Amino acid sequence: MPPESAIEIASVSHSYGDRRALDKVSMQVPSGRICGLLGPNGGGKTTLFKILTTLIAPTSGTAYVGGCHIVERQREVRRKIGVVFQTSSLDRHLTATENLIHQGHLYGLRGKELQRRAALLLELFGLGDRSHDRVAIFSGGMQRRLELAKALLHQPEILILDEPSTGLDPAARRTLMDHLHELREESGITTLITTHLMEEADRCDLVAILDNGRLVGMDSPTALKRTIGGEVLTISTANPIKLVEQIKDRFEITASIVDGQVRIEREQGHAMVGDIMDAFGEKIESITVGKPTLEDVFFSLTGHQLGNKSTVGLAQAETMR
Amino acid sequence: MSKTSAKASISTTLLAGISLWRRDVIRFLRQRSRVVGALGTPIIFWVLLGSGLGKSFRASGGADGVSYSEYSFPGTVILIVLFTAIFATISIIEDRREGFLQGVLVAPVGRSAIVFGKILGSSTLAVAQALLFMVAMPLAGMTITLSAVFLSFATLIIVSVGLSALGFVIAWRMQSTQGFHAIMNLFLIPMWLLSGAIFPVSGAAGWLGWIMKVNPLTYGVAAMRYALYGGSVDRIGDVPSWSVSLAVTSGFAVAMVTLSAWVVDRRN
């Protein structure tokens, strides 16, 4: 396999009994990139995370991490990756330093060198003055930073994170992403991060979109948004279903309903605002024009929204027929 | 695998195991309630049983002139070991639930490090607490001798490893601590009740006697009984011979450790 791919996934499928969680997913993550794995909960992100971190073996297909086969050379893969889980893997009864020292021992590090490295990482993540406090009294953001320090302790080539911002406020989330960018600049580490948050995916170099176990698209956020092109009109109204029909009759445009709002994708969307207001002005509460977001990309690729899938799916079905 | 990498693999497993062991001991000392639970409960059992049954106890298989407090002392030591092993292995379920275990499972060490660390941690705590309780031997009318301490120490290690490994095998696949409590009440406590700890095998009805004879813990309690008297057999009463007791107890420990290593290596 080519050395420039840090992660190479070839036709990986995985089933839990009858339920197919991943369906022939193939993708590559080039070295030194931050790759986001975007998808709704239950889309297959966590299953792929578990396969790449060697926690489970795929039902079929193969994957290489850092050039090593994930099943045949499991031990080497484990040494090359740093892992951050969705839920805490810290021991709350131990101090920050004790957690890192223990982690180091699991990776064969010891003695002075380990202590030096632990202190360095605590300093780097702004936990230097809290190193002897027990993790139980840390805030959510501090715990996440300690998780990151823990994952980086053995100087992995590849960092794999599963929804690392779960439970964090927006400011702490931004700090986390800042850290990932800094790390990439300094050490050229490759990062794979699963997320269901647009703003997080937006800050990745590459975004792979997973839906129902399938990879439906992968490119840079800019390139993905370019595929939609133009602008997105979002209209708030009391009766969106009726408005969609009326817009179709009048302008021969297919509009859709997302989150109870009417959406229109057009090359020159802003030029339509006047026409629509003239025709249905009294029914419209608000109308906004925006550039496409990853949310729009996701919607156009999958036909449903990232978040509350079922309700949108229903509204979709109603408007389509 | 080449010789050097096999050596490296053993030393990383050792390092990881020792680290896990240290963590368990530190955690134990930071959670006071666990000390009370593991040491306090058996002592209360012993005091209450000794005071309540003292007068009415006539051990058919016990030696003459042995008070109930004295008779039940070795069993109480074993109960301390059992409780400590139970609490220590319940921590595996907590480690899994709280997420700590997931970090260990993706580390480049064999899972045998987890078995090694947990059993060593649990055994350390069990042996330490049981030895501490031995200070109370004079209260039961027993004399603390040097040979008693040495033999008890050795016996406690074997019994602790066996019971800790048994707890590990039960806890490894469990998702909730409630499940473990059910097993504890339905299986582990009866196992202790039927070990000769509180009444001798010869005093039990036929079928119960048979259960007691196949119960491996019967031999653990018997071995403990010999050890606490420093090898002197005058006050032992009617129990399996020392060599048989030690052989069965050691065999049980080896079997349970092997079983632990096996369950932990099976893929989810």
Side-chain angles (χ1 to χ4, degrees):
Chain A
M1 67 160 277
E4 57 267 21
S5 279
I7 299 174
E8 170 111 22
I9 301 168
S11 198
V12 162
S13 297
H14 193 78
S15 304
Y16 297 105
D18 284 343
R19 200 175 71 78
R20 175 149 275 212
L22 283 178
D23 196 3
K24 297 202 181 83
V25 171
S26 296
M27 61 182 260
Q28 284 112 38
V29 181
S31 258
R33 301 295 181 85
I34 299 178
C35 177
L37 211 53
L38 179 69
N41 292 327
K45 295 181 311 253
T46 297
T47 304
L48 192 53
F49 166 86
K50 283 184 177 167
I51 289 171
L52 294 178
T53 54
T54 74
L55 279 172
I56 54 176
T59 314
S60 69
T62 54
Y64 295 85
V65 172
C68 298
H69 193 280
I70 49 158
V71 178
E72 286 156 20
R73 293 168 70 191
Q74 191 192 60
R75 195 69 68 97
E76 284 157 89
V77 169
R78 290 179 173 192
R79 210 166 281 131
K80 283 169 186 276
I81 59 172
V83 185
V84 174
F85 299 90
Q86 192 171 349
T87 54
S88 170
S89 73
L90 302 168
D91 187 329
R92 296 163 51 81
H93 294 285
L94 300 186
T95 67
T97 301
E98 284 170 339
N99 265 289
L100 292 187
I101 297 295
H102 175 71
Q103 173 79 359
H105 289 157
L106 293 181
Y107 285 80
L109 307 173
R110 61 203 300 177
K112 280 258 158 21
E113 174 60 22
L114 172 58
Q115 282 173 357
R116 197 189 57 77
R117 183 122 185 99
L120 185 87
L121 280 162
L122 288 173
E123 209 57 58
L124 180 69
F125 290 104
L127 297 166
D129 53 340
R130 304 295 301 272
S131 58
H132 295 295
D133 286 343
R134 288 192 204 173
V135 170
I137 60 169
F138 280 15
S139 71
M142 290 166 71
Q143 291 195 14
R144 285 279 101 180
R145 297 207 300 273
L146 184 56
E147 293 273 2
L148 204 50
K150 190 178 160 184
L152 291 166
L153 192 66
H154 64 288
Q155 294 176 290
E157 292 169 27
I158 299 156
L159 195 55
I160 305 180
L161 309 96
D162 189 19
E163 309 239 0
S165 58
T166 303
L168 293 189
D169 59 57
R173 261 185 231 150
R174 274 193 297 277
T175 316
L176 191 71
M177 282 310 280
D178 290 343
H179 277 304
L180 294 182
H181 278 272
E182 278 165 30
L183 282 168
R184 197 265 303 271
E185 300 312 324
E186 280 160 24
S187 61
I189 196 168
T190 309
T191 307
L192 183 71
I193 171 173
T194 74
T195 182
H196 64 273
L197 300 169
M198 293 300 158
E199 58 269 39
E200 235 163 52
D202 246 327
R203 293 195 60 190
C204 297
D205 305 324
L206 283 170
V207 176
I209 299 178
L210 268 184
D211 185 54
N212 277 323
R214 285 170 207 265
L215 184 72
V216 292
M218 181 172 178
D219 214 326
S220 71
T222 338
L224 283 170
K225 286 185 231 171
R226 210 179 291 132
T227 58
I228 294 199
E231 290 156 348
V232 177
L233 290 187
T234 312
I235 306 166
S236 296
T237 176
N239 191 344
I241 295 173
K242 194 170 170 208
L243 188 63
V244 166
E245 281 168 13
Q246 288 172 326
I247 289 173
K248 189 170 184 178
D249 291 346
R250 179 94 176 229
F251 301 107
E252 292 180 356
I253 290 171
T254 314
S256 49
I257 300 178
V258 177
D259 245 2
Q261 292 182 314
V262 177
R263 266 173 54 103
I264 303 169
E265 286 169 21
R266 297 291 285 176
E267 200 57 56
Q268 295 290 315
H270 66 273
M272 284 200 67
V273 175
D275 294 342
I276 292 174
M277 286 304 286
D278 285 344
F280 311 113
E282 74 284 1
K283 291 173 194 151
I284 291 172
E285 289 155 19
S286 76
I287 180 163
T288 57
V289 184
K291 291 282 178 192
T293 62
L294 282 176
E295 179 89 53
D296 300 319
V297 173
F298 186 84
F299 182 79
S300 89
L301 285 173
T302 66
H304 59 81
Q305 246 194 317
L306 243 187
N308 36 6
K309 200 161 122 183
S310 52
T311 50
V312 175
L314 210 75
Q316 265 298 107
E318 279 177 54
T319 47
M320 289 293 180
R321 301 296 137 213
Chain B
M1 203 185 270
S2 73
K3 224 174 193 173
T4 46
S5 74
K7 225 180 222 169
S9 166
I10 289 170
S11 80
T12 51
T13 304
L14 270 178
L15 180 64
I18 289 169
S19 194
L20 284 162
W21 163 66
R22 256 190 51 177
R23 163 180 176 264
D24 267 356
V25 174
I26 293 174
R27 276 171 65 94
F28 177 82
L29 295 174
R30 287 187 186 162
Q31 292 169 279
R32 296 284 146 74
S33 59
R34 281 180 61 189
V35 186
V36 176
L39 198 55
T41 316
I43 292 176
I44 290 173
F45 271 31
W46 176 64
V47 170
L48 296 182
L49 284 175
S51 328
L53 291 173
K55 291 279 188 305
S56 43
F57 178 73
R58 292 285 311 125
S60 56
D64 287 337
V66 172
S67 73
Y68 192 68
S69 294
E70 184 175 348
Y71 176 79
S72 58
F73 196 89
T76 308
V77 174
I78 296 297
L79 188 60
I80 289 171
V81 173
L82 182 66
F83 272 10
T84 310
I86 287 171
F87 285 126
T89 41
I90 277 183
S91 72
I92 295 168
I93 303 170
E94 287 165 359
D95 288 348
R96 196 185 280 284
R97 211 187 46 214
E98 287 167 11
F100 176 80
L101 198 61
Q102 54 189 355
V104 183
L105 292 179
V106 297
V109 289
R111 292 186 171 185
S112 50
I114 304 172
V115 179
F116 173 62
K118 272 291 168 194
I119 294 177
L120 201 64
S122 164
S123 302
T124 305
L125 301 173
V127 172
Q129 293 187 84
L131 285 176
L132 207 62
F133 177 64
M134 280 173 62
V135 174
M137 277 171 73
L139 294 178
M142 299 159 86
T143 352
I144 305 175
T145 62
L146 203 59
S147 57
V149 173
F150 275 118
L151 291 173
S152 298
F153 181 63
T155 311
L156 279 168
I157 291 174
I158 305 170
V159 176
S160 298
V161 168
L163 289 178
S164 300
L166 172 67
F168 188 96
V169 171
I170 298 170
W172 181 251
R173 307 291 292 181
M174 289 220 159
Q175 302 297 325
S176 76
T177 50
Q178 287 96 320
F180 198 104
H181 284 293
I183 297 232
M184 173 173 128
N185 290 330
L186 286 171
F187 173 65
L188 296 175
I189 298 297
M191 183 171 144
W192 176 77
L193 289 173
L194 299 178
S195 67
I198 53 173
F199 57 86
V201 178
S202 49
W207 60 275
L208 209 57
W210 276 106
I211 293 179
M212 290 174 78
K213 273 180 193 143
V214 296
N215 177 3
L217 200 56
T218 300
Y219 302 87
V221 171
M224 200 65 228
R225 211 176 277 283
Y226 285 109
L228 283 169
Y229 288 107
S232 139
V233 292
D234 315 342
R235 303 174 74 78
I236 295 289
D238 181 20
V239 296
S241 76
W242 199 3
S243 51
V244 169
S245 299
L246 276 180
V248 173
T249 305
S250 307
F252 178 72
V254 171
M256 285 302 126
V257 171
T258 312
L259 196 58
S260 300
W262 181 73
V263 293
V264 86
D265 248 347
R266 279 194 313 171
R267 277 243 168 200
N268 300 329

